[in-house]
Amino acid sequence: MAQVVKDRLDRELGVIERLGFANYFLIVWDFVRYAREQNVPATARGSGVGALVCYALYLSHVCPIKYDLLFERFLDENRREAPDIDIDFCKDRRGAIIQYVKDKYGEDNVAQIGTFGTLQARAAIKDVGRALGIPLVRVNQITEMVPDELKITISKALEKNIELKQVYETDDDVREMLDIAKKIEGLARNIGTHAAAVVIADKPLTEYVPLSRVSGKTDVITQWSMGDVEAAGLLKMDFLGLRNLTILSKAVDIIEQTTGKRLDILRLPLEDPATFALLQRGETKGVFQLESGGIRDLLQRMKPDHFHDIIATNALYRPGPLEGGMVDDYVAVKHGRKKAEYIHPVMQEILEETHGVMVYQEQVMRILNRLGGIELANAYTCIKAISKKKESLIAQNEAKFMEGAVAKGVTEKQASELWQMILKFAGYGFNKSHSTAYALLAYQTAYLKAHYQVEFMAALLSGDIPGRNFKHKDSLVEHIEDCKRMKIEVVLPDVNSSDVDFTVADNKIFFGLSAIKGCGGAAGEAVANERKKGGAYSSLFEFCERVDSAACSRATIETLIKTGAFDSTGAHRSQLLAIVERAIQAGATKLADRKSGQMNFFDEIEEVAPRAGSAAQNLPDIPEFPKKTLVAMEKEVAGMYLSSHPLEDYVQQLQTICTHKSLDLKTVKDRTEVVVGGIISSIKLANTRNPKPNAPSKYANFDLEDLDGPMRCICWPDGYEKVGHLIQPESIVVMRATVDKRGGGDEFNLLANEIIPIEEASARFTAGLRIHLQEERHGLDLIQKLQEILRGYPGKMEVLLAVKLASGDTVHLKSRKNQVEISTELRARLDDLLGADSHRLLVNPPKVSTSASPRWKKPQKSS
């Protein structure tokens, strides 16, 4: 093995030296070395991971020899462009590494590369329409006719949308606007900073490229884009920020705090049963690269039990392999339902790890080399020629491959069929070096989730605090729901226990103050630091005296009150909101006195003996807000329900009535009719374009949120006219709807067919009442009282009795005499007599139609 490593290093170093790229590797090594010294997580991604030199320099963390990664995929003597080693850093500390490079090579010699936003079809039309003075309403009508597709152009839009073409041909103003827009389409509109690229020069960059400053900042960027900078011969480096490295680093820190030991994530065992069990169950929310619903389904099908399976997962979960049947073949062979076929022993040696399926570009390169006799240095050039359809180069390589394969004992027919497979799969092939590097990160996050659930989830929640990354605030809600499913307690926000980020103590997660909308990191730090310095806050007045209003404004204090962060002081939220102005003024006076060095008589008394019950004396005698108001406040300021969920009182009812929950709908077929229930939010009203005379045009987009998450819903005009009054914020309803999955993937909409208020749903679907009795607890006298109550509410609903005998058996009886009308009053009297949970409604679930079409049709054109 030692000789294999030495030979590989000698070969790689020889190529690097001959191409003159030694300095490039040393520069990358230097700033990665600095990152390690500063405990900033860093790892290479991309084809550079296939270089043993990168592994030896600690740039990457997977051994290319162990995983058969090819240096030639990264660099060979036939390519003259500079190598490209992409380095991921902890997102929070990436800036510190860029600053190190500026300090080392000179501020004038280093800059981030500029990038240009270009005018797309819709933006070009709007800009031209504005310049021509065409009414905004008309311009918006035209832009809405442009199909919402990636890379759509005005010319393509005219071909695809007949209505747009008709307007173009009949309206002179529109024709002029679109003709001019076509001319400026694709031009640069604004300049920004490239997400990763940094240029380093041996002299001040002003001698090579024009520079500019970022608007509102001091950062210097190039006026040339990345391609032009590289074409000028300048050295471009990629410093990428990866949130998952930040999460891993945070998790390791929290584990050290809770266990006292520092975990080395680069030394985790790669054959851990608990980790693979978690992957096989598809419990991978928060696991790097393995979070989506589709990939979780693939993991459950694949049942990964080896690190090679994780490498393959990301490479396989792409449109080409999914549509080409490669995923099905991989799973079928892995589980013995199908036998892999190899036309030559070399093919088996190369493809056995992926169960006979060509998954990686490196495998195609190996086949071209070992079976076809094409040098590895030329194999990647051949793959690129195939993907770019360079026919002459493809023909040259085909002839060479056929000759080499036949010489190895393969028949001409087999060689030809294999070449056709290569032509097909070369376009699908994924970079194994990149997949292996990211598989390691995926495994590390899965390992932490399997073995350190609480610490990992706290780090994940901190990493997804809105504003810290591109993720939507819903990800925070999803992770908290995930904690509930994992039986992890998330302690509500509290000024006396919460820190800036999510923290862990006593095997619980404490809510991070900076995750509260309107609070932020600066306010969270001020609150937490003052508490650590001066002890717990006893009242809102004391809080305002100790925490400077410059760091924690009135709006922030009100937000904290609404989330319940002051509940531990013993006051109602209604009382705190009533006195907040007075508390802030008193606090400001106290702080001003402190700053001026003044003390009054009462200050001196308080230092000797603080006034007991001072908080209570300052609180108005008013009742707490209703529960519904409290949870609505929490949703408003935190983006989620914290102390309770409005649906918790309706769980049993919804479980009985509804056919599906939100999580179930990802696997439901398109056009299926379902019955779902939840609370309405995020309502957006719109009007259809070009409505018919005397026909309704208003429709609604809204979310229907159950305990598992939100469902995106649409109520089209015909339906909105009938039930639009029921689509109100915070309304709890049951909805009959059709699943619309025309967007593809896991995404879906629900097309509303019928909306029923929760109060009416029970009456509508209730068939009767089941009353629970216990022989040892409920005597004859109580049974007679029960009968008297039932007689007082005559109706048509049947009454069933479930009597639990002293023996432990349960007898089910049906009353022949008593049929009732079920009302809130009857149910309350039953609870008073028999105790809470004394009865259950008998519900006939609503029948869903087998028809694929919704009751309320979607209009032809909408906006």
Side-chain angles (χ1 to χ4, degrees):
M1 184 65 181
Q3 189 60 42
V4 171
V5 172
K6 186 176 183 303
D7 292 345
R8 170 85 173 244
L9 277 175
D10 287 343
R11 178 163 56 85
E12 290 187 11
L13 289 170
V15 172
I16 292 168
E17 186 179 0
R18 284 191 291 277
L19 293 175
F21 294 141
N23 285 344
Y24 176 92
F25 280 82
L26 290 172
I27 290 170
V28 178
W29 165 79
D30 178 64
F31 61 70
V32 172
R33 171 199 56 78
Y34 174 77
R36 287 207 318 276
E37 289 176 356
Q38 302 303 311
N39 292 318
V40 179
T43 183
R45 66 158 84 170
S47 59
V49 177
L52 189 60
V53 170
C54 287
Y55 183 63
L57 292 176
Y58 219 90
L59 308 183
S60 67
H61 306 299
V62 289
C63 176
I65 295 174
K66 181 178 180 179
Y67 296 105
D68 194 27
L69 310 179
L70 298 181
F71 176 71
E72 288 77 10
R73 172 63 182 82
F74 168 62
L75 198 63
D76 67 61
E77 295 184 64
N78 296 323
R79 283 181 272 169
R80 295 302 172 195
E81 66 268 20
D84 190 7
I85 304 175
D86 296 334
I87 304 291
D88 286 317
F89 294 98
C90 164
K91 189 171 183 179
D92 288 351
R93 302 177 67 187
R94 166 180 169 267
I97 311 303
I98 295 176
Q99 188 58 51
Y100 167 77
V101 173
K102 289 180 178 179
D103 294 341
K104 185 173 183 84
Y105 300 105
E107 289 273 354
D108 294 340
N109 296 26
V110 179
Q112 289 184 258
I113 293 177
T115 184
F116 296 93
T118 56
L119 280 165
Q120 301 303 308
R122 292 188 175 196
I125 294 170
K126 287 182 177 180
D127 282 359
V128 172
R130 191 181 304 114
L132 293 177
I134 297 174
L136 182 60
V137 174
R138 184 58 171 158
V139 174
N140 287 338
Q141 287 176 339
I142 300 303
T143 54
E144 287 297 328
M145 295 180 191
V146 176
D148 188 12
E149 297 176 10
L150 193 64
K151 296 183 180 179
I152 189 72
T153 64
I154 296 171
S155 297
K156 287 181 181 176
L158 288 167
E159 293 174 8
K160 290 191 170 191
N161 192 321
I162 297 173
E163 185 183 0
L164 179 62
K165 190 171 183 180
Q166 288 174 344
V167 176
Y168 175 79
E169 291 174 347
T170 57
D171 189 320
D172 292 339
D173 289 341
V174 172
R175 186 187 304 112
E176 181 185 16
M177 178 173 68
L178 293 182
D179 285 343
I180 296 174
K182 278 195 251 183
K183 293 177 182 178
I184 67 169
E185 188 179 22
L187 295 179
R189 187 184 192 193
N190 59 283
I191 188 169
T193 306
H194 192 280
V198 174
V199 60
I200 305 174
D202 57 341
K203 292 190 259 186
L205 283 165
T206 49
E207 298 187 24
Y208 296 108
V209 295
L211 304 175
S212 65
R213 290 193 184 276
V214 178
S215 178
K217 298 182 181 179
T218 58
D219 297 348
V220 175
I221 60 173
T222 65
Q223 290 188 38
W224 290 355
S225 63
M226 186 168 63
D228 295 329
V229 169
E230 289 184 298
L234 292 168
L235 185 66
K236 184 267 296 182
M237 301 281 185
D238 282 327
F239 295 71
L240 300 116
L242 187 63
R243 119 186 198 283
N244 294 87
L245 285 177
T246 307
I247 291 168
L248 278 170
S249 176
K250 182 81 175 172
V252 169
D253 289 341
I254 297 174
I255 291 167
E256 185 174 19
Q257 292 166 14
T258 57
T259 66
K261 61 180 181 181
R262 186 76 182 175
L263 198 67
D264 186 348
I265 58 170
L266 294 178
R267 295 183 181 276
L268 299 179
L270 294 182
E271 304 83 23
D272 179 60
T275 302
F276 283 108
L278 179 138
L279 295 173
Q280 290 169 8
R281 294 192 301 269
E283 294 177 5
T284 52
K285 283 190 176 180
V287 175
F288 181 58
Q289 298 273 294
L290 305 178
E291 295 186 76
S292 74
I295 211 163
R296 295 202 304 270
D297 292 340
L298 173 58
L299 289 169
Q300 289 174 322
R301 288 175 58 203
M302 182 189 287
K303 302 291 182 190
D305 54 9
H306 195 281
F307 187 68
H308 285 293
D309 288 329
I310 306 176
I311 301 173
T313 299
N314 279 319
L316 286 169
Y317 193 72
R318 293 176 298 120
L322 287 169
E323 293 165 8
M326 296 163 65
V327 173
D328 295 331
D329 288 344
Y330 185 102
V331 172
V333 174
K334 175 177 172 59
H335 295 297
R337 295 191 294 270
K338 181 179 177 181
K339 189 174 181 181
E341 297 179 1
Y342 305 102
I343 64 169
H344 193 278
V346 168
M347 292 290 289
Q348 182 170 356
E349 291 171 18
I350 295 170
L351 300 180
E352 195 164 29
E353 72 167 288
T354 52
H355 306 291
V357 178
M358 282 188 205
V359 176
Y360 311 117
Q361 293 170 345
E362 286 86 341
Q363 289 176 316
V364 179
M365 290 172 66
R366 284 284 190 208
I367 294 168
L368 290 171
N369 170 242
R370 294 181 57 188
L371 201 61
I374 297 173
E375 292 182 9
L376 273 176
N378 297 322
Y380 183 59
T381 305
C382 176
I383 290 175
K384 284 202 296 185
I386 293 170
S387 64
K388 293 183 179 179
K389 296 181 170 55
K390 293 184 177 179
E391 297 298 337
S392 60
L393 198 52
I394 292 172
Q396 292 174 23
N397 282 287
E398 180 182 8
K400 189 165 186 179
F401 177 81
M402 292 290 292
E403 181 183 347
V406 170
K408 287 281 178 68
V410 177
T411 67
E412 282 194 22
K413 182 182 178 183
Q414 288 175 322
S416 178
E417 289 173 351
L418 183 54
W419 179 255
Q420 292 304 313
M421 284 177 61
I422 290 171
L423 291 180
K424 179 181 177 182
F425 289 115
Y428 293 160
F430 196 73
N431 182 342
K432 187 183 181 184
S433 297
H434 179 75
S435 193
T436 305
Y438 271 13
L440 181 62
L441 284 176
Y443 182 87
Q444 289 166 346
T445 50
Y447 182 95
L448 294 187
K449 185 169 185 180
H451 291 275
Y452 301 94
Q453 287 187 344
V454 180
E455 292 86 352
F456 175 76
M457 292 306 295
L460 186 64
L461 284 161
S462 295
D464 276 350
I465 288 174
R468 292 194 180 177
N469 62 80
F470 60 88
K471 285 205 153 201
H472 194 270
K473 69 178 182 181
D474 284 348
S475 62
L476 204 65
V477 181
E478 287 179 13
H479 297 325
I480 288 179
E481 291 298 326
D482 211 18
C483 287
K484 290 179 182 177
R485 282 189 287 273
M486 296 162 70
K487 303 292 190 291
I488 297 171
E489 182 181 350
V490 179
V491 179
L492 303 182
D494 189 338
V495 293
N496 284 325
S497 61
S498 295
D499 215 315
V500 183
D501 289 346
F502 289 83
T503 54
V504 174
D506 301 323
N507 216 33
K508 302 173 186 175
I509 296 175
F510 288 77
F511 204 96
L513 294 175
S514 59
I516 300 170
K517 180 179 164 186
C519 185
E525 283 182 15
V527 173
N529 291 342
E530 174 57 35
R531 183 187 71 236
K532 292 169 186 174
K533 184 173 67 175
Y537 304 104
S538 62
S539 69
L540 179 61
F541 280 90
E542 190 202 356
F543 178 90
C544 293
E545 290 171 3
R546 291 168 56 185
V547 180
D548 197 329
S549 60
C552 198
S553 66
R554 172 179 177 151
T556 299
I557 293 172
E558 289 181 343
T559 293
L560 290 170
I561 292 171
K562 289 178 179 179
T563 62
F566 284 95
D567 288 2
S568 60
T569 64
H572 295 320
R573 297 180 205 180
S574 59
Q575 294 172 315
L576 294 170
L577 287 173
I579 65 164
V580 67
E581 181 64 38
R582 195 150 46 90
I584 290 171
Q585 288 178 357
T589 301
K590 189 76 174 276
L591 283 170
D593 287 348
R594 279 192 199 148
K595 289 178 180 177
S596 64
Q598 296 178 9
M599 294 182 71
N600 62 38
F601 177 69
F602 291 106
D603 287 325
E604 294 177 5
I605 294 175
E606 284 181 334
E607 286 191 2
V608 177
R611 285 174 288 173
S614 59
Q617 293 168 10
N618 289 297
L619 293 172
D621 185 15
I622 56 176
E624 179 60 292
F625 294 121
K627 181 180 177 182
K628 185 176 181 180
T629 304
L630 291 175
V631 296
M633 280 181 178
E634 292 171 1
K635 181 70 181 291
E636 172 198 344
V637 297
M640 66 191 86
Y641 298 107
L642 296 172
S643 57
S644 64
H645 197 288
L647 295 180
E648 287 177 359
D649 294 335
Y650 301 95
V651 170
Q652 184 69 33
Q653 195 173 350
L654 292 174
Q655 282 179 347
T656 311
I657 295 173
C658 297
T659 61
H660 294 77
K661 295 188 290 186
S662 58
L663 288 179
D664 304 328
L665 298 178
K666 292 181 179 179
T667 57
V668 169
K669 292 182 179 179
D670 183 37
R671 316 312 291 169
T672 300
E673 193 172 53
V674 297
V675 175
V676 292
I679 185 167
I680 292 176
S681 63
S682 304
I683 302 168
K684 292 181 182 177
L685 302 179
N687 288 283
T688 56
R689 201 168 53 241
N690 302 325
K692 296 178 181 178
N694 302 319
S697 63
K698 183 181 286 188
Y699 67 95
N701 290 297
F702 60 96
D703 283 349
L704 186 66
E705 180 182 337
D706 66 11
L707 289 172
D708 293 320
M711 298 165 274
R712 194 70 191 141
C713 307
I714 304 172
C715 185
W716 292 119
D718 286 346
Y720 187 79
E721 189 177 37
K722 297 174 183 176
V723 297
H725 63 285
L726 298 175
I727 302 175
Q728 299 294 332
E730 308 302 318
S731 293
I732 299 175
V733 301
V734 171
M735 184 174 76
R736 193 195 306 266
T738 301
V739 177
D740 181 4
K741 287 193 171 182
R742 283 174 292 179
D746 295 331
E747 300 300 318
F748 65 87
N749 287 316
L750 291 180
L751 307 181
N753 296 337
E754 188 176 9
I755 297 175
I756 307 159
I758 191 68
E759 297 80 8
E760 298 176 16
S762 292
R764 174 156 175 191
F765 301 117
T766 299
L769 197 65
R770 178 186 287 115
I771 299 173
H772 299 272
L773 300 171
Q774 296 180 28
E775 182 182 3
E776 294 180 337
R777 180 180 169 195
H778 301 132
L780 186 60
D781 290 345
L782 189 140
I783 300 296
Q784 290 174 344
K785 290 179 182 178
L786 172 62
Q787 189 172 13
E788 290 173 8
I789 291 174
L790 295 175
R791 283 176 181 169
Y793 300 88
K796 297 182 180 180
M797 300 289 181
E798 66 181 10
V799 176
L800 300 182
L801 300 178
V803 184
K804 187 173 183 181
L805 304 176
S807 64
D809 297 328
T810 299
V811 177
H812 296 276
L813 306 170
K814 181 177 180 180
S815 175
R816 294 179 180 177
K817 294 181 180 180
N818 294 312
Q819 286 190 313
V820 298
E821 179 183 340
I822 298 173
S823 65
T824 304
E825 183 180 312
L826 169 61
R827 299 186 67 187
R829 290 190 65 182
L830 290 175
D831 282 343
D832 289 341
L833 179 67
L834 303 174
D837 297 325
S838 62
H839 63 279
R840 289 282 185 273
L841 295 177
L842 299 174
V843 176
N844 289 329
K847 295 178 181 178
V848 292
S849 168
T850 55
S851 169
S853 59
R855 185 173 303 164
W856 299 328
K857 304 279 186 174
K858 174 181 177 180
Q860 287 295 90
K861 301 191 182 340
S862 60
S863 64

